Amino acid sequence: MSSTRTATTPDDQVAEFNLNAVKAEGGLDPFRFLWASKEDPNRRLTMQHMDGLNVWPLLEAADGGDHRAMTGIFKEALGKEQWDEFRKTPLPQYKLKALFREYQKHSGQESGESPASSDS
């Protein structure tokens, strides 16, 4: 005989934590940078603040290792339209590293730390 358990809490029970009430500790100002394209030598791209990114695609990307995690962050931070534009221009690795380092600094992250990393 099998039984199915459900983890429901009656509505009259007090919640231990209200995630709805959590606010960002600091500002979530976007990060802007210049990256020229053939069409626009002054092209400006805007990335959402790292703390404001949706974690679900980041966690999925992190399962693929560091490179996929970084790609996931850029993809989510830029949004689909800007991500597609960003990828049209060849990008040397040393520039990507510098961009990511500055984005981390802007977002208050330590080098090597990402939103998907644990505190342990």
Side-chain angles (χ1 to χ4, degrees):
M1 174 182 247
S2 69
S3 66
T4 304
R5 285 184 57 157
T6 58
T8 59
T9 303
D11 286 341
D12 64 344
Q13 297 295 309
V14 175
E16 284 76 22
F17 181 71
N18 183 356
L19 187 56
N20 299 316
V22 175
K23 304 289 183 215
E25 290 181 14
L28 295 177
D29 296 330
F31 175 75
R32 295 171 188 87
F33 65 98
L34 297 176
W35 180 234
S37 67
K38 288 180 183 178
E39 299 80 28
D40 184 358
N42 295 309
R43 176 175 62 170
R44 178 190 297 252
L45 298 165
T46 303
M47 297 171 69
Q48 292 179 54
H49 191 284
M50 200 178 284
D51 283 346
L53 299 179
N54 179 4
V55 299
W56 303 126
L58 301 182
L59 291 171
E60 285 180 25
D63 284 343
D66 289 346
H67 289 98
R68 288 206 190 261
M70 185 185 287
T71 300
I73 290 170
F74 277 109
K75 201 172 183 179
E76 192 67 21
L78 286 165
K80 172 128 177 67
E81 187 177 314
Q82 285 192 109
W83 170 248
D84 291 344
E85 283 301 311
F86 181 61
R87 293 191 60 201
K88 287 180 183 177
T89 305
L91 179 65
Q93 186 170 338
Y94 72 92
K95 288 191 180 220
L96 180 66
K97 286 179 181 178
L99 174 61
F100 192 65
R101 210 172 25 250
E102 290 303 311
Y103 179 52
Q104 284 180 304
K105 272 198 254 181
H106 171 83
S107 297
Q109 303 281 329
E110 296 295 322
S111 184
E113 180 182 350
S114 75
S117 67
S118 70
D119 291 336
S120 58

